[in-house]
Amino acid sequence: MSDETVAHRLSTEGADLLTLAGVNDANLIELARLVGVKVSLRGDALTLTGSVESVERAAGIAQRMVETAKQRRPLTPDDVLRLHDNGGTEGDAGAGLRIALPGVKKLIQPKTAGQAAYLQLMADNDIVIGIGPAGTGKTYLAVAAAVDALTRKRVRRIILARPAVEAGESLGFLPGDLQAKVDPYLRPLYDALDDMMPAERVQKALETRVIEIAPLAYMRGRTLGDAFVILDEAQNATSAQMKMFLTRLGVNSKAVITGDKTQIDLPSREQSGLIQIERILTGIEGIGFHYLNESDVVRHRLVREIVKAYAEDAGI
């Protein structure tokens, strides 16, 4: 019968039970809410009780939760939600794409199938364009890939660039020298680096210019060889700036360009370089385009709903 109640037990031996359950059992409560089953954790067993269909759906998600807890990786209700949205298969696609960085305790890995495909594209191409809304990990994963390449000595330096569009002609009115004026626009790149490397290593790398963080305008006239180069917020690069950036690439270099087409801050008559390259570079071997969407948002769960609401309002 379709309304038959069944119970399914999963072994949790070897799993960190606090990680599995979450703070105040939040992970188990979320699983129960999403799938409509009763969830109980006793000893070395997680028991799912409910209809046959509900228990079958919950079992795949619960198994991934147990595996995550065994690996001592973080697990939150938002992660449980992503597992549910991906049919309990989240993490499988990115199993071979985990990045372990020296001096950093946590393992960096894709949390969605879209993120896994994005990381794989970076491994397979010299130029990758990642397009998607806020919170999808476009910049974070690109910086992780860059630090991994530097650590493995595949490149000698990392160059992170961003257009300082909002500063515009107002830079001269801000206090401090030029670097102090543009640093607020580059802060997200510093934040990503701080999450990837010990603070003292970041500082030393910046001092020795092994890692360079600069406004896009600083790239003019340079040849960026043996480097992993990231252009963030590329929707705010003009067509001329984008061409200038792309033609800087030297021997043994990789470039990742990230942007959100819904957040263009350029004057209305000025064409976004990101929109242009999407039109003219698609199909060139060695250049990969990847599109992330609200299902790839890994910030607070409400960010996903906000992104979705704005997309629906814009008719996207």
Side-chain angles (χ1 to χ4, degrees):
M1 295 174 60
S2 59
D3 59 350
E4 179 186 359
T5 299
V6 298
H8 180 70
R9 288 166 56 88
L10 288 170
S11 172
T12 61
E13 187 177 356
D16 183 279
L17 298 185
L18 181 58
T19 297
L20 177 62
V23 178
N24 296 324
D25 292 339
N27 295 338
L28 304 182
I29 293 170
E30 180 69 358
L31 176 61
R33 182 189 73 82
L34 290 168
V35 191
V37 295
K38 180 180 178 182
V39 182
S40 62
L41 181 60
R42 296 286 185 274
D44 286 337
L46 180 68
T47 303
L48 309 170
T49 306
S51 68
V52 174
E53 183 181 354
S54 296
V55 168
E56 285 179 352
R57 286 205 316 271
I61 302 170
Q63 187 59 52
R64 293 298 299 160
M65 291 170 64
V66 170
E67 290 169 8
T68 299
K70 285 182 179 179
Q71 295 166 12
R72 303 299 194 271
R73 290 189 282 119
L75 184 66
T76 68
D78 285 351
D79 294 322
V80 177
L81 175 61
R82 281 189 291 273
L83 282 168
H84 172 265
D85 290 348
N86 285 279
T89 61
E90 179 182 307
D92 293 340
L97 297 171
R98 295 169 185 163
I99 298 174
L101 300 173
V104 180
K105 291 182 179 179
K106 69 177 181 179
L107 201 64
I108 298 171
Q109 68 175 41
K111 290 192 171 185
T112 69
Q115 288 190 346
Y118 179 48
L119 265 183
Q120 188 61 57
L121 208 62
M122 284 189 263
D124 296 340
N125 294 270
D126 287 338
I127 297 177
V128 171
I129 297 94
I131 298 173
T136 51
K138 302 183 301 294
T139 303
Y140 189 84
L141 291 174
V143 173
V147 174
D148 185 49
L150 182 68
T151 301
R152 296 174 183 272
K153 302 188 185 303
R154 292 172 179 166
V155 296
R156 289 192 299 109
R157 54 183 174 158
I158 296 172
I159 298 172
L160 309 173
R162 246 188 175 210
V165 169
E166 300 88 341
E169 296 177 354
S170 302
L171 278 174
F173 297 98
L174 296 174
D177 59 17
L178 184 58
Q179 192 63 43
K181 292 173 183 179
V182 298
D183 267 358
Y185 304 101
L186 305 174
R187 176 47 52 189
L189 297 174
Y190 285 104
D191 291 343
L193 268 181
D194 288 341
D195 211 32
M196 310 282 174
M197 301 168 64
E200 62 278 5
R201 189 175 167 218
V202 172
Q203 188 58 41
K204 182 178 179 181
L206 291 169
E207 289 172 356
T208 58
R209 300 181 73 81
V210 169
I211 297 178
E212 185 179 345
I213 304 177
L216 177 58
Y218 283 22
M219 300 297 105
R220 188 172 299 280
R222 301 180 60 184
T223 298
L224 308 176
D226 207 16
F228 198 118
V229 192
I230 298 172
L231 174 59
D232 192 33
E233 296 289 335
Q235 75 275 3
N236 288 328
T238 65
S239 295
Q241 288 175 325
M242 183 65 77
K243 181 180 178 182
M244 176 271 291
F245 174 80
L246 288 169
T247 54
R248 299 306 93 202
L249 208 61
V251 177
N252 190 41
S253 289
K254 295 176 76 77
V256 177
I257 298 164
T258 69
D260 179 355
K261 293 190 294 183
T262 69
Q263 296 193 29
I264 297 175
D265 298 314
L266 293 166
S268 57
R269 293 187 179 179
E270 204 160 13
Q271 186 185 22
S272 167
L274 181 64
I275 301 296
Q276 184 185 40
I277 63 171
E278 185 183 23
R279 186 177 70 250
I280 68 176
L281 298 185
T282 302
I284 296 177
E285 187 175 353
I287 299 179
F289 282 82
H290 186 68
Y291 295 86
L292 296 150
N293 55 46
E294 68 269 7
S295 67
D296 298 302
V297 171
V298 292
R299 291 180 185 167
H300 192 288
R301 71 179 63 197
L302 289 179
V303 173
R304 178 191 301 198
E305 297 304 318
I306 290 167
V307 167
K308 184 178 179 180
Y310 271 95
E312 289 175 350
D313 185 62
I316 298 175

PDB file of all heavy atoms in Angstrom, residues 164-174 181 185 267 270:
ATOM      1  N   ALA A 164      37.563  48.930 -10.865  1.00  0.00           N
ATOM      2  CA  ALA A 164      37.121  49.799  -9.762  1.00  0.00           C
ATOM      3  C   ALA A 164      36.102  50.781 -10.307  1.00  0.00           C
ATOM      4  O   ALA A 164      36.258  51.993 -10.222  1.00  0.00           O
ATOM      5  CB  ALA A 164      38.308  50.523  -9.138  1.00  0.00           C
ATOM      6  N   VAL A 165      35.034  50.237 -10.863  1.00  0.00           N
ATOM      7  CA  VAL A 165      34.059  51.067 -11.572  1.00  0.00           C
ATOM      8  C   VAL A 165      33.410  52.100 -10.663  1.00  0.00           C
ATOM      9  O   VAL A 165      33.274  53.259 -11.014  1.00  0.00           O
ATOM     10  CB  VAL A 165      32.960  50.181 -12.209  1.00  0.00           C
ATOM     11  CG1 VAL A 165      31.802  51.021 -12.716  1.00  0.00           C
ATOM     12  CG2 VAL A 165      33.559  49.381 -13.337  1.00  0.00           C
ATOM     13  N   GLU A 166      33.021  51.661  -9.451  1.00  0.00           N
ATOM     14  CA  GLU A 166      32.295  52.582  -8.580  1.00  0.00           C
ATOM     15  C   GLU A 166      33.143  53.788  -8.203  1.00  0.00           C
ATOM     16  O   GLU A 166      32.638  54.851  -7.912  1.00  0.00           O
ATOM     17  CB  GLU A 166      31.839  51.862  -7.295  1.00  0.00           C
ATOM     18  CG  GLU A 166      30.916  50.684  -7.545  1.00  0.00           C
ATOM     19  CD  GLU A 166      31.686  49.393  -7.772  1.00  0.00           C
ATOM     20  OE1 GLU A 166      32.876  49.453  -8.082  1.00  0.00           O
ATOM     21  OE2 GLU A 166      31.072  48.315  -7.651  1.00  0.00           O
ATOM     22  N   ALA A 167      34.491  53.601  -8.186  1.00  0.00           N
ATOM     23  CA  ALA A 167      35.375  54.695  -7.795  1.00  0.00           C
ATOM     24  C   ALA A 167      35.339  55.798  -8.837  1.00  0.00           C
ATOM     25  O   ALA A 167      35.217  56.974  -8.522  1.00  0.00           O
ATOM     26  CB  ALA A 167      36.802  54.171  -7.628  1.00  0.00           C
ATOM     27  N   GLY A 168      35.463  55.421 -10.093  1.00  0.00           N
ATOM     28  CA  GLY A 168      35.371  56.368 -11.197  1.00  0.00           C
ATOM     29  C   GLY A 168      36.185  57.613 -10.982  1.00  0.00           C
ATOM     30  O   GLY A 168      37.333  57.573 -10.583  1.00  0.00           O
ATOM     31  N   GLU A 169      35.589  58.757 -11.221  1.00  0.00           N
ATOM     32  CA  GLU A 169      36.274  60.029 -11.105  1.00  0.00           C
ATOM     33  C   GLU A 169      36.346  60.502  -9.666  1.00  0.00           C
ATOM     34  O   GLU A 169      36.933  61.545  -9.386  1.00  0.00           O
ATOM     35  CB  GLU A 169      35.566  61.078 -11.963  1.00  0.00           C
ATOM     36  CG  GLU A 169      35.613  60.782 -13.453  1.00  0.00           C
ATOM     37  CD  GLU A 169      34.853  61.799 -14.270  1.00  0.00           C
ATOM     38  OE1 GLU A 169      34.204  62.669 -13.666  1.00  0.00           O
ATOM     39  OE2 GLU A 169      34.896  61.710 -15.505  1.00  0.00           O
ATOM     40  N   SER A 170      35.724  59.754  -8.746  1.00  0.00           N
ATOM     41  CA  SER A 170      35.706  60.179  -7.348  1.00  0.00           C
ATOM     42  C   SER A 170      36.940  59.750  -6.583  1.00  0.00           C
ATOM     43  O   SER A 170      37.095  60.083  -5.423  1.00  0.00           O
ATOM     44  CB  SER A 170      34.462  59.603  -6.640  1.00  0.00           C
ATOM     45  OG  SER A 170      33.291  60.021  -7.292  1.00  0.00           O
ATOM     46  N   LEU A 171      37.831  58.967  -7.228  1.00  0.00           N
ATOM     47  CA  LEU A 171      39.022  58.481  -6.527  1.00  0.00           C
ATOM     48  C   LEU A 171      39.814  59.610  -5.907  1.00  0.00           C
ATOM     49  O   LEU A 171      40.355  59.493  -4.806  1.00  0.00           O
ATOM     50  CB  LEU A 171      39.922  57.700  -7.494  1.00  0.00           C
ATOM     51  CG  LEU A 171      39.536  56.246  -7.750  1.00  0.00           C
ATOM     52  CD1 LEU A 171      40.430  55.666  -8.838  1.00  0.00           C
ATOM     53  CD2 LEU A 171      39.624  55.418  -6.500  1.00  0.00           C
ATOM     54  N   GLY A 172      39.920  60.717  -6.606  1.00  0.00           N
ATOM     55  CA  GLY A 172      40.747  61.822  -6.123  1.00  0.00           C
ATOM     56  C   GLY A 172      40.234  62.444  -4.847  1.00  0.00           C
ATOM     57  O   GLY A 172      40.969  63.132  -4.143  1.00  0.00           O
ATOM     58  N   PHE A 173      38.970  62.228  -4.527  1.00  0.00           N
ATOM     59  CA  PHE A 173      38.393  62.836  -3.333  1.00  0.00           C
ATOM     60  C   PHE A 173      38.475  61.927  -2.112  1.00  0.00           C
ATOM     61  O   PHE A 173      38.135  62.341  -1.012  1.00  0.00           O
ATOM     62  CB  PHE A 173      36.923  63.203  -3.604  1.00  0.00           C
ATOM     63  CG  PHE A 173      36.766  64.238  -4.682  1.00  0.00           C
ATOM     64  CD1 PHE A 173      36.472  63.868  -5.983  1.00  0.00           C
ATOM     65  CD2 PHE A 173      36.955  65.586  -4.391  1.00  0.00           C
ATOM     66  CE1 PHE A 173      36.335  64.817  -6.974  1.00  0.00           C
ATOM     67  CE2 PHE A 173      36.824  66.540  -5.388  1.00  0.00           C
ATOM     68  CZ  PHE A 173      36.521  66.169  -6.683  1.00  0.00           C
ATOM     69  N   LEU A 174      38.923  60.692  -2.331  1.00  0.00           N
ATOM     70  CA  LEU A 174      39.056  59.766  -1.214  1.00  0.00           C
ATOM     71  C   LEU A 174      40.401  59.976  -0.527  1.00  0.00           C
ATOM     72  O   LEU A 174      41.388  60.322  -1.178  1.00  0.00           O
ATOM     73  CB  LEU A 174      38.946  58.321  -1.700  1.00  0.00           C
ATOM     74  CG  LEU A 174      37.597  57.925  -2.302  1.00  0.00           C
ATOM     75  CD1 LEU A 174      37.676  56.519  -2.869  1.00  0.00           C
ATOM     76  CD2 LEU A 174      36.495  58.017  -1.271  1.00  0.00           C
ATOM     77  N   LYS A 181      42.944  54.038  -1.919  1.00  0.00           N
ATOM     78  CA  LYS A 181      41.675  54.416  -2.530  1.00  0.00           C
ATOM     79  C   LYS A 181      40.996  53.244  -3.239  1.00  0.00           C
ATOM     80  O   LYS A 181      39.767  53.152  -3.267  1.00  0.00           O
ATOM     81  CB  LYS A 181      41.907  55.560  -3.527  1.00  0.00           C
ATOM     82  CG  LYS A 181      42.312  56.872  -2.858  1.00  0.00           C
ATOM     83  CD  LYS A 181      42.690  57.920  -3.889  1.00  0.00           C
ATOM     84  CE  LYS A 181      43.155  59.201  -3.212  1.00  0.00           C
ATOM     85  NZ  LYS A 181      43.548  60.241  -4.173  1.00  0.00           N
ATOM     86  N   TYR A 185      37.633  48.237  -3.156  1.00  0.00           N
ATOM     87  CA  TYR A 185      37.037  47.524  -4.282  1.00  0.00           C
ATOM     88  C   TYR A 185      37.688  46.158  -4.478  1.00  0.00           C
ATOM     89  O   TYR A 185      37.144  45.300  -5.157  1.00  0.00           O
ATOM     90  CB  TYR A 185      37.156  48.370  -5.557  1.00  0.00           C
ATOM     91  CG  TYR A 185      36.533  49.725  -5.377  1.00  0.00           C
ATOM     92  CD1 TYR A 185      37.311  50.840  -5.132  1.00  0.00           C
ATOM     93  CD2 TYR A 185      35.147  49.867  -5.395  1.00  0.00           C
ATOM     94  CE1 TYR A 185      36.725  52.077  -4.920  1.00  0.00           C
ATOM     95  CE2 TYR A 185      34.554  51.103  -5.181  1.00  0.00           C
ATOM     96  CZ  TYR A 185      35.351  52.208  -4.943  1.00  0.00           C
ATOM     97  OH  TYR A 185      34.776  53.427  -4.720  1.00  0.00           O
ATOM     98  N   PRO A 267      28.005  52.817 -17.190  1.00  0.00           N
ATOM     99  CA  PRO A 267      27.014  53.738 -17.755  1.00  0.00           C
ATOM    100  C   PRO A 267      26.198  53.020 -18.824  1.00  0.00           C
ATOM    101  O   PRO A 267      26.701  52.141 -19.519  1.00  0.00           O
ATOM    102  CB  PRO A 267      27.874  54.852 -18.353  1.00  0.00           C
ATOM    103  CG  PRO A 267      29.143  54.816 -17.564  1.00  0.00           C
ATOM    104  CD  PRO A 267      29.372  53.376 -17.223  1.00  0.00           C
ATOM    105  N   GLU A 270      27.626  52.313 -22.223  1.00  0.00           N
ATOM    106  CA  GLU A 270      28.928  51.665 -22.318  1.00  0.00           C
ATOM    107  C   GLU A 270      28.743  50.145 -22.322  1.00  0.00           C
ATOM    108  O   GLU A 270      28.093  49.595 -21.435  1.00  0.00           O
ATOM    109  CB  GLU A 270      29.816  52.092 -21.151  1.00  0.00           C
ATOM    110  CG  GLU A 270      31.291  51.949 -21.444  1.00  0.00           C
ATOM    111  CD  GLU A 270      32.112  52.829 -20.493  1.00  0.00           C
ATOM    112  OE1 GLU A 270      31.545  53.320 -19.502  1.00  0.00           O
ATOM    113  OE2 GLU A 270      33.299  52.997 -20.745  1.00  0.00           O
TER     114      GLU A 270
END
